[in-house]
Amino acid sequence: MSSVLDARSLLDEVTQFIYREARYQDDHAYDDWEALWTDDGVYWIPANGEGGDPEKEMSIIYDNRSRIALRIRQFHTGKRYSQTPQSRLRRVVSNVEILKQEGEELLVTSNAMVFESSPARGDTLWASRNEYTLRREGDALRMARKKVVLVNNETALYSMAFLI
């Protein structure tokens, strides 16, 4: 009985983490979003399918931790015109599953639908399957890797908000 409760408690903690990450993105709370990352984090949005090796194939975004920080710093300059005027975002996250646990790391997946409304670009609906590597650091979970596989990543993408 204890292991079932432990598994349920872990799934609840993971789900709350993913919901919090989604809220930070929706609310443009990029400093809070950045704080969720480990020092060796990788944020990857593959192009053209599920994604093979991001070092050898084209990606929509393929950022290491320092590039994530640079992206946030650039945003704060006010010169990130992809977000001028700022999009309104809301997402629904579902199907959160823990696929594997090895030591302090968890492989987690979820699905997401993001509605973006931009005065400059109109309305866009993004659908994705997200894959996370979460790592426990102290008492908290942090993202070591996030892979966002957009359902329509094999077609022309006309615009994308600052983060998806």
Side-chain angles (χ1 to χ4, degrees):
M1 183 71 154
S2 171
S3 65
V4 171
L5 291 176
D6 291 344
R8 183 65 202 179
S9 177
L10 180 61
L11 179 59
D12 288 344
E13 180 184 16
V14 165
T15 301
Q16 288 303 307
F17 179 91
I18 291 172
Y19 288 169
R20 183 178 328 110
E21 190 244 351
R23 178 172 47 88
Y24 289 162
Q25 288 179 304
D26 285 349
D27 293 345
H28 305 281
Y30 298 126
D31 293 326
D32 293 330
W33 180 80
E34 183 186 0
L36 297 175
W37 287 91
T38 61
D39 291 339
D40 61 342
V42 173
Y43 179 48
W44 180 31
I45 304 175
N48 303 317
E50 295 296 314
D53 182 350
E55 297 288 334
K56 297 178 182 175
E57 297 179 24
M58 185 174 75
S59 297
I60 297 166
I61 293 176
Y62 182 51
D63 288 352
N64 62 23
R65 184 62 182 88
S66 64
R67 181 68 180 109
I68 293 167
L70 177 60
R71 187 178 291 272
I72 302 298
R73 283 193 311 272
Q74 287 174 336
F75 172 77
H76 286 308
T77 68
K79 296 182 182 191
R80 287 300 284 195
Y81 297 113
S82 68
Q83 278 300 288
T84 305
Q86 200 168 59
S87 297
R88 295 184 69 206
L89 302 167
R90 281 297 168 248
R91 71 194 69 215
V92 176
V93 177
S94 69
N95 300 61
V96 177
E97 290 185 274
I98 300 171
L99 299 183
K100 184 167 45 169
Q101 182 174 5
E102 288 184 0
E104 297 298 312
E105 289 194 349
L106 301 165
L107 177 61
V108 177
T109 60
S110 70
N111 293 329
M113 293 281 286
V114 183
F115 181 82
E116 176 188 10
S117 181
S118 168
R121 295 179 304 278
D123 296 342
T124 306
L125 187 62
W126 304 95
S128 68
R129 177 154 178 85
N130 301 330
E131 183 179 290
Y132 302 82
T133 300
L134 302 181
R135 184 181 304 144
R136 185 163 306 282
E137 292 187 350
D139 291 336
L141 292 174
R142 302 207 28 223
M143 283 189 293
R145 185 170 188 265
K146 182 179 181 184
K147 177 182 173 185
V148 178
V149 180
L150 295 169
V151 172
N152 62 340
N153 72 1
E154 294 180 0
T155 63
L157 301 174
Y158 300 104
S159 68
M160 179 175 283
F162 183 59
L163 300 169
I164 188 86

